[in-house]
Amino acid sequence: MMFVRELFGFPPPRVCVETGYDTDQDVVFLKLGRKGVALTPREVVWLMEDLADSVEKSTRSVGL
């Protein structure tokens, strides 16, 4: 579907991001669009590290 949108010059659809924390289960809930996941605190740290690495690689590849 994205290919058709890009082919005709339409912008990508917006993605709703929601987060929450459950103190009873000690998990962070992350919902992107219609899909969600429960992450432990350690998994949140890993996700943040992966995102930071990805941003660093992306900015390095374009010469920023």
Side-chain angles (χ1 to χ4, degrees), residues 23-62:
T23 55
D24 295 333
Q25 297 180 22
D26 193 29
V27 293
V28 172
F29 293 100
L30 175 62
K31 184 176 178 187
L32 299 171
R34 297 179 184 159
K35 298 186 179 192
V37 65
L39 303 169
T40 65
R42 185 65 191 144
E43 290 171 324
V44 172
V45 171
W46 290 335
L47 175 61
M48 291 171 40
E49 290 170 351
D50 286 348
L51 291 171
D53 289 343
S54 179
V55 168
E56 183 180 337
K57 289 176 186 174
S58 296
T59 55
R60 195 176 328 128
S61 70
V62 294

